[in-house]
Amino acid sequence: MSQTKSLIDSLEGGVDRKTLKRIQQRFMEINQGRLLRARDGLSQRQQLFLDLLPLLFMENHPLLPGFVTYKTPAGISRYEPDKRVLREANRLSRSFRYSRKPHRQRSIYSLFLMGSCGSLAHSNRSDLDVWVCHAPDLKTAQQDELQRKCTLIELWAVSFNLEVHFFLMDDEKFRHRQHHKELSGEDCGSAQHSLLLDEFYRTALLLAGRYPIWWLIPPDDEHRYQHHTQRLREQRYIQPDETVDFGGITEIPPGEFVGAGMWQMFKGLASPYKSVLKLMLTELYASRTDELISITFKRRIYAGETSLDALDPYILLYQKLERYLLGTEHLDRLELVRKALYFKVGKRLSQTPRRSRSWQRNVLEQLIQTWQWQPQQLRDLDQHNQWKVDRVLQERAALVSQLMHSYRFLNQYGHNHQEGLISQRDMQLLGRRLYAAFERRANKLPVINPGISEDMSESNLSIVCHGQKPAEWRLYRGALKHQDLDRQPILKRTHSIVQLLAWCHLNRILDSSSSVSLFPGNSALTEYELQQIINALRQTLPVETTSIDDDTYLEPSRPSTVLLVINAGIDPMKASSERNVHLLSNRTDSLGFSAMRANQVITIDQLCINSWNEWSLSRFEGPDALVHCLQEYLNQTNPQSPPELNIRCYCRNRAQPIQDRVTTLFADTQRHLLSPDTHSRGRYLLQVEHQFHLFQMHQQVTVRSLEDEAALVLLLGQPQTEFSPLLVDRYALQDSPLSLVLPRNEAGKIQLFYQQLRAQDRIRFYLLDERGSLLCQTSVHGDLQRVLEQLYRFLQRLLFRLNAHLEQQANDLPTMSIELYELVASSDFGPKQLRAVSPPPANPHPYLEIQVIIGLDSEGEEQATLFCGEREFNPLDYEGKQLQAAADFIRTQHRGRELSRCYITDLAMPLSLNGERLQSIHYLQRKRDIETQLNAYLQADADRLPGQ
């Protein structure tokens, strides 16, 4: 460490121009020394770019890079190019001639290199961030032209293999915190004013122009920065064109730490080691246990320090972090800081340098000696770009632990200091980015390599199926033989081969050059199926590398791509093959295959990538696997922007028919249940083996599962709050008349279907009402004309009654009508078609009118009153036995003629019961129930007659 005589401690007692000149010269000497180090870290061509850079902002010449117009702001304060720079410019453009113009307008105050350039952490891969400090009086159009000039120079820099970023700076606006948030190249720049200024003062290298007036203010006078700078100007210790003033810096406002820390955590998703250093520094600053690095940097220069190593910003950063972490006894975190610095410097100390030893290597070797790192550890770290999955997992644990420690610290700090400068929007945005990257939850596939290794791919892998029910899939490194398996470490275990392959694919462990050895065990997985699943993952689920925009994170996540893999490692015909059952049948439906009606969808692995680029896998197994998978998919899908759906099946038997069947089913249900037109959303009936599953869209898609057709009829007979169209799956109810009846349902129509079962002398009726509810009834009376006539007459009166209250039920009734159809069948079990029929003609013979009026008593209980012709039978007169009395009366009216059944001709009910708006099905079900009771009484009376 080199020392010279200490400079002035304070300006309070006065200062002379000679002392100020010495201060400025010391900073310039350090600046020049670091610039030389910066040049040494560049190639000869890149050095040429750095040398010419000030000249490009000094002149507007059409033959020089960056030319926009002759009027583009140019000219740098106190800068004139030397002969060497002009010579290089002439090589670039032979016709270029530079002429000195003492009175030219100089719109550019300074050019600064900002960041790691010239420091221990600088390498040929480092970006160059350049602050272009311009006059505050530039108009918007002039600033736009200057920005265009910067962009053109950035493009020219690419030819030198340099990534350069320019930032237009107005020191006056910056000093008053009016700068743009993008100044630092980070979204939270406006919330990190003081932190950004601290970084600028400790790292900035002056390329040309005015130096910072901050240099002239002793560190102990920082708290009176404005007073002393004003005094220096007023007393003309400095010239008007001599300095730029970005403001003083004493301490960081508490509100900046949360925003800065959260942003560094976000950056840590891609560059964890780089973010570790700044996260630790944020924590250190927030603890208030040490002064700012920029103040320490200035203090050492004022104290006479001249060693570039001692003044290096990254060495100063490490020294402060080491002191802080040793004080808190966080040795594991200190070790992580050391690795982060080692990777940042990028010198592989385990290897002999090809050229002369750089000053950075010498400094790093001195640090390594104090850290007591062993050669084996250095070899391991120098190979970190090729670390494989086990080593990456170990390192990821340490990094995530540190990031979560910082997250908890920042959360607590934010609660204790409410004056955060970061907006609520940015807090929410950064929180969601962190959630997507690190949150652990069921079914989520983790990304295990957040910028740790550049290549985790394995040339050879072995996959083993171990055990059964449930089987365990294991992943090993290398092309192993069976006898070697027990001696090798297991890289990953899952209960699904698709999950194992997806994890390998997501983390780039398995790539196109990898060779996989398969030990299928008790599974039915074949080499062909394994390779096809791998191909499907690569084709349909590419590993995303592009960044996601902020607006996407500010909305809830939604599925963007879905891959369904059916029967992975499963033979759907295994049971029949083992029993040697030959499935000879014309039933080819994969959900009801052959005479056994076998469901061939045994398992489904659903891989989903959502809009936040999170990967998840849900596995569905068993007889209801398809139903549960379909319901989950429908409920996760946004009808306005459905995900890209890919369905694949590569199993041993009937893979393509199974894939086609499931693909068609998903398309049909999505089109019917998730229609953008909410009025057309309805129900979907699916049959799997002998079971029925009714999907219906309410707020979400619900599923009712039913054991048989009888249970289905009961469910379909339930009232509906509004019309709900029913789509019957093309393979459902193939042996039932319902396959012809149910698809006919239309809003506002009462549809009556009948089938005469001649073998049993019965008539079967199916009725769909105006809201799509179903009534199924069988009449034992063989007189089709009479049964049809009485039922149609009742429906006419019902329609008249409902139309009388059209204003209360306007949603259903504007197009209400009655339609009749006959089910024409070749046998009692094989309906072939529907035939529309005309209404039955009115019977000219008189008949007994039976009307039922249902009302509510004072306690809300239903009371039925019957009118047989003009004769009234009410609960009060007959003490609740009005139905029996009515039956007796009906029999007397037939005067000895045979009476097998009676029918209600009219039914009146309240418009609503129990808050439920009534529909036709309510009337028809009540009609059926009351008729059943009346006819039971009639039958009982007929049975008693012979014994009287």
Side-chain angles (χ1 to χ4, degrees):
M1 182 178 294
S2 302
Q3 292 278 351
T4 60
K5 185 178 179 180
S6 177
L7 295 171
I8 187 171
D9 294 326
S10 174
L11 299 180
E12 293 293 343
V15 68
D16 55 53
R17 287 181 172 82
K18 185 177 180 181
T19 301
L20 290 175
K21 185 65 175 176
R22 288 171 53 210
I23 294 172
Q24 188 259 351
Q25 285 177 344
R26 281 197 185 178
F27 276 94
M28 288 300 297
E29 288 171 2
I30 300 300
N31 188 81
Q32 288 303 115
R34 287 172 62 184
L35 273 176
L36 288 175
R37 285 187 164 184
R39 284 176 53 83
D40 289 343
L42 302 175
S43 67
Q44 286 189 344
R45 292 191 71 248
Q46 291 171 338
Q47 291 176 13
L48 173 62
F49 173 85
L50 199 62
D51 293 340
L52 289 173
L53 191 57
L55 179 63
L56 302 182
F57 284 93
M58 188 70 179
E59 288 285 317
N60 286 319
H61 193 285
L63 297 179
L64 292 180
F67 178 77
V68 180
T69 69
Y70 286 105
K71 295 183 178 180
T72 301
I76 302 177
S77 297
R78 297 194 167 210
Y79 170 76
E80 292 293 342
D82 57 26
K83 293 181 179 179
R84 181 176 58 85
V85 171
L86 293 176
R87 187 165 54 249
E88 295 296 340
N90 288 138
R91 290 178 181 173
L92 191 66
S93 174
R94 295 184 180 277
S95 63
F96 171 73
R97 294 293 181 269
Y98 178 79
S99 60
R100 298 179 183 273
K101 302 174 184 176
H103 301 293
R104 75 163 66 207
Q105 184 178 2
R106 308 207 176 210
S107 300
I108 310 299
Y109 285 177
S110 308
L111 294 180
F112 290 97
L113 277 178
M114 161 91 166
S116 63
C117 198
S119 73
L120 177 65
H122 179 238
S123 71
N124 55 10
R125 300 187 305 272
S126 299
D127 299 347
L128 298 183
D129 291 342
V130 182
W131 280 22
V132 182
C133 306
H134 60 80
D137 58 357
L138 291 187
K139 297 179 180 179
T140 302
Q142 292 177 301
Q143 292 185 42
D144 290 343
E145 279 201 13
L146 184 56
Q147 182 61 63
R148 175 62 177 158
K149 183 183 187 76
C150 291
T151 301
L152 292 174
I153 298 175
E154 287 176 356
L155 295 174
W156 182 57
V158 174
S159 64
F160 295 87
N161 198 26
L162 284 173
E163 185 175 347
V164 182
H165 305 281
F166 291 97
F167 302 94
L168 300 186
M169 302 295 296
D170 178 343
D171 66 333
E172 186 176 305
K173 285 186 177 180
F174 189 96
R175 192 167 63 249
H176 294 97
R177 295 179 178 265
Q178 297 173 352
H179 57 88
H180 298 298
K181 67 179 181 179
E182 295 85 7
L183 291 179
S184 66
E186 302 173 346
D187 275 343
C188 294
S190 61
Q192 301 180 37
H193 175 93
S194 299
L195 286 167
L196 180 61
L197 191 57
D198 171 60
E199 183 179 3
F200 171 75
Y201 282 145
R202 72 176 186 261
T203 67
L205 299 179
L206 178 62
L207 286 175
R210 309 180 185 190
Y211 64 86
I213 196 174
W214 179 81
W215 287 359
L216 305 181
I217 309 302
D220 291 335
D221 284 346
E222 196 77 25
H223 63 288
R224 300 197 66 194
Y225 175 89
Q226 186 174 355
H227 166 76
H228 289 304
T229 54
Q230 184 176 353
R231 178 184 167 196
L232 291 175
R233 292 190 188 96
E234 289 176 350
Q235 296 182 5
R236 298 187 178 181
Y237 283 105
I238 54 176
Q239 299 298 318
D241 66 344
E242 188 174 348
T243 64
V244 290
D245 184 4
F246 289 105
I249 177 171
T250 52
E251 62 179 19
I252 310 297
E256 289 196 22
F257 294 124
V258 176
M262 292 289 283
W263 184 251
Q264 286 304 325
M265 288 193 68
F266 161 63
K267 293 187 69 176
L269 306 183
S271 304
Y273 292 108
K274 179 179 179 180
S275 293
V276 159
L277 296 175
K278 291 194 175 182
L279 272 171
M280 294 279 197
L281 181 62
T282 301
E283 183 179 329
L284 166 64
Y285 280 174
S287 69
R288 309 289 186 184
T289 59
D290 205 339
E291 68 181 6
L292 303 180
I293 299 177
S294 58
I295 300 300
T296 301
F297 170 73
K298 181 157 66 171
R299 190 181 302 282
R300 289 190 177 184
I301 292 179
Y302 269 75
E305 180 63 70
T306 59
S307 168
L308 294 179
D309 294 347
L311 295 171
D312 188 276
Y314 276 86
I315 293 178
L316 291 172
L317 168 63
Y318 171 74
Q319 290 172 344
K320 286 186 178 292
L321 292 180
E322 182 184 53
R323 186 162 52 249
Y324 170 68
L325 294 172
L326 286 174
T328 57
E329 298 184 352
H330 286 165
L331 301 184
D332 54 338
R333 301 177 71 202
L334 176 58
E335 191 68 10
L336 187 58
V337 165
R338 288 170 175 172
K339 282 192 287 188
L341 180 62
Y342 185 80
F343 290 145
K344 179 69 176 172
V345 176
K347 303 295 181 183
R348 300 185 177 185
L349 298 189
S350 67
Q351 301 175 7
T352 303
R354 297 178 181 177
R355 297 181 296 177
S356 60
R357 299 165 63 88
S358 66
W359 70 271
Q360 292 159 302
R361 187 181 183 93
N362 292 332
V363 170
L364 192 58
E365 286 178 342
Q366 295 172 17
L367 286 173
I368 295 302
Q369 290 179 1
T370 65
W371 299 346
Q372 298 182 346
W373 279 6
Q374 300 303 312
Q376 177 57 38
Q377 185 175 2
L378 289 175
R379 286 192 292 270
D380 177 53
L381 295 178
D382 288 345
Q383 296 171 1
H384 77 279
N385 285 337
Q386 283 76 44
W387 280 349
K388 301 306 179 184
V389 57
D390 45 356
R391 185 65 180 88
V392 168
L393 283 171
Q394 177 186 345
E395 197 67 16
R396 180 184 186 272
L399 286 168
V400 172
S401 175
Q402 164 56 31
L403 290 173
M404 298 316 294
H405 180 281
S406 297
Y407 182 74
R408 290 189 293 270
F409 173 85
L410 294 168
N411 259 347
Q412 185 61 46
Y413 192 89
H415 286 305
N416 296 338
H417 300 81
Q418 298 297 324
E419 65 271 31
L421 299 180
I422 187 171
S423 68
Q424 185 60 37
R425 172 190 177 278
D426 287 341
M427 283 291 290
Q428 183 183 33
L429 172 65
L430 295 174
R432 289 187 174 185
R433 287 185 182 272
L434 292 171
Y435 175 90
F438 295 119
E439 179 68 14
R440 295 175 180 172
R441 65 176 185 272
N443 302 330
K444 181 176 178 179
L445 298 179
V447 177
I448 65 173
N449 183 25
I452 299 172
S453 173
E454 292 182 1
D455 181 15
M456 285 209 310
S457 65
E458 296 283 354
S459 57
N460 292 284
L461 291 165
S462 294
I463 293 177
V464 179
C465 180
H466 179 78
Q468 57 183 342
K469 294 184 180 180
E472 179 181 280
W473 292 92
R474 297 176 177 180
L475 178 70
Y476 298 84
R477 176 183 292 115
L480 305 180
K481 296 182 179 179
H482 198 280
Q483 60 268 25
D484 299 329
L485 296 177
D486 292 337
R487 297 191 295 269
Q488 295 297 322
I490 301 173
L491 298 182
K492 182 71 174 176
R493 306 170 190 257
T494 68
H495 287 303
S496 161
I497 180 61
V498 178
Q499 181 181 1
L500 186 68
L501 294 174
W503 181 81
C504 292
H505 171 62
L506 170 62
N507 290 290
R508 295 185 169 91
I509 298 167
L510 179 65
D511 66 10
S512 58
S513 63
S514 301
S515 176
V516 181
S517 300
L518 175 64
F519 298 84
N522 292 317
S523 76
L525 188 68
T526 63
E527 295 277 0
Y528 169 80
E529 184 178 3
L530 176 68
Q531 191 57 52
Q532 290 301 107
I533 294 174
I534 294 172
N535 292 340
L537 291 171
R538 291 171 181 162
Q539 293 167 6
T540 63
L541 302 178
V543 180
E544 192 62 56
T545 56
T546 58
S547 60
I548 301 173
D549 59 61
D550 293 350
D551 291 340
T552 300
Y553 277 111
L554 292 174
E555 296 177 353
S557 63
R558 54 177 176 76
S560 54
T561 307
V562 174
L563 170 65
L564 304 183
V565 182
I566 304 169
N567 295 342
I570 301 290
D571 180 2
M573 300 184 70
K574 181 181 179 181
S576 58
S577 299
E578 289 176 346
R579 290 183 292 172
N580 198 27
V581 176
H582 298 285
L583 305 179
L584 299 178
S585 170
N586 60 355
R587 298 185 186 277
T588 59
D589 177 25
S590 298
L591 307 184
F593 184 70
S594 80
M596 297 174 62
R597 287 187 176 275
N599 173 19
Q600 296 186 320
V601 178
I602 312 300
T603 65
I604 301 179
D605 289 280
Q606 176 181 273
L607 268 166
C608 175
I609 304 178
N610 69 18
S611 53
W612 294 1
N613 202 29
E614 295 178 289
W615 289 47
S616 62
L617 183 138
S618 300
R619 183 169 172 82
F620 304 90
E621 300 180 84
D624 294 331
L626 177 61
V627 173
H628 293 156
C629 177
L630 178 57
Q631 182 184 16
E632 180 175 301
Y633 171 80
L634 293 172
N635 282 326
Q636 290 178 345
T637 296
N638 181 349
Q640 306 302 324
S641 56
E644 176 188 337
L645 176 63
N646 303 276
I647 299 175
R648 300 289 186 269
C649 182
Y650 306 107
C651 61
R652 192 185 296 263
N653 285 298
R654 301 195 78 252
Q656 193 62 47
I658 294 172
Q659 176 177 311
D660 294 344
R661 175 68 169 103
V662 176
T663 299
T664 301
L665 174 63
F666 271 70
D668 289 345
T669 52
Q670 182 171 323
R671 182 170 55 252
H672 188 65
L673 296 175
L674 303 184
S675 169
D677 180 7
T678 56
H679 295 291
S680 65
R681 295 182 185 178
R683 297 168 290 170
Y684 189 94
L685 180 63
L686 173 68
Q687 183 176 358
V688 180
E689 295 187 342
H690 295 283
Q691 274 196 330
F692 297 94
H693 305 276
L694 186 66
F695 294 77
Q696 186 161 12
M697 168 59 80
H698 295 293
Q699 295 297 321
Q700 283 194 315
V701 174
T702 61
V703 181
R704 297 284 297 275
S705 297
L706 308 138
E707 289 298 323
D708 51 32
E709 186 173 327
L712 173 65
V713 169
L714 287 177
L715 178 62
L716 295 178
Q718 293 181 0
Q720 301 271 106
T721 56
E722 59 184 3
F723 175 72
S724 178
L726 176 62
L727 180 63
V728 180
D729 184 80
R730 62 197 68 193
Y731 290 99
L733 294 165
Q734 287 187 318
D735 297 332
S736 170
L738 291 177
S739 64
L740 295 175
V741 170
L742 295 176
R744 301 287 300 190
N745 69 128
E746 292 186 52
K749 290 186 177 180
I750 300 176
Q751 298 166 304
L752 176 63
F753 307 82
Y754 66 90
Q755 179 185 16
Q756 192 159 18
L757 307 177
R758 295 181 178 85
Q760 297 133 331
D761 196 25
R762 294 187 176 194
I763 305 170
R764 184 175 294 157
F765 290 96
Y766 302 95
L767 186 141
L768 290 169
D769 79 353
E770 69 278 6
R771 296 187 204 161
S773 296
L774 172 71
L775 179 71
C776 184
Q777 188 173 347
T778 301
S779 172
V780 297
H781 196 287
D783 188 345
L784 175 62
Q785 192 64 28
R786 181 186 173 201
V787 174
L788 273 181
E789 180 188 341
Q790 63 82 21
L791 185 52
Y792 188 77
R793 184 185 305 123
F794 180 87
L795 291 176
Q796 282 184 308
R797 294 192 178 187
L798 172 60
L799 189 61
F800 176 81
R801 188 176 298 280
L802 293 175
N803 277 323
H805 302 284
L806 182 61
E807 66 279 3
Q808 285 89 355
Q809 303 190 34
N811 288 336
D812 287 325
L813 299 183
T815 60
M816 274 193 73
S817 60
I818 302 173
E819 296 179 348
L820 270 69
Y821 297 91
E822 181 183 8
L823 284 159
V824 181
S826 58
S827 69
D828 290 349
F829 304 101
K832 289 184 177 180
Q833 61 182 355
L834 289 176
R835 182 172 64 87
V837 298
S838 302
N843 190 342
H845 302 291
Y847 57 88
L848 181 65
E849 293 273 1
I850 303 176
Q851 182 185 35
V852 180
I853 299 177
I854 297 178
L856 301 177
D857 63 14
S858 59
E859 296 181 357
E861 296 293 331
E862 293 186 17
Q863 298 291 340
T865 299
L866 280 74
F867 288 87
C868 299
E870 298 300 322
R871 179 75 177 270
E872 178 180 352
F873 298 89
N874 63 61
L876 294 178
D877 292 340
Y878 293 93
E879 298 179 350
K881 297 182 179 180
Q882 67 273 28
L883 290 181
Q884 171 119 35
D888 293 342
F889 175 77
I890 292 170
R891 177 162 291 283
T892 62
Q893 295 301 300
H894 281 71
R895 300 190 181 117
R897 288 182 289 124
E898 182 183 355
L899 177 63
S900 58
R901 285 188 69 83
C902 70
Y903 300 99
I904 294 172
T905 58
D906 192 15
L907 176 63
M909 295 172 64
L911 290 178
S912 62
L913 287 174
N914 300 322
E916 183 180 12
R917 188 162 54 91
L918 299 189
Q919 63 189 88
S920 299
I921 198 71
H922 290 97
Y923 290 86
L924 291 160
Q925 289 173 345
R926 196 60 54 87
K927 174 183 184 294
R928 178 193 60 193
D929 295 342
I930 296 175
E931 283 179 350
T932 300
Q933 295 180 60
L934 280 174
N935 287 308
Y937 288 131
L938 286 173
Q939 184 63 42
D941 289 343
D943 292 342
R944 288 197 304 269
L945 284 176
Q948 288 182 344

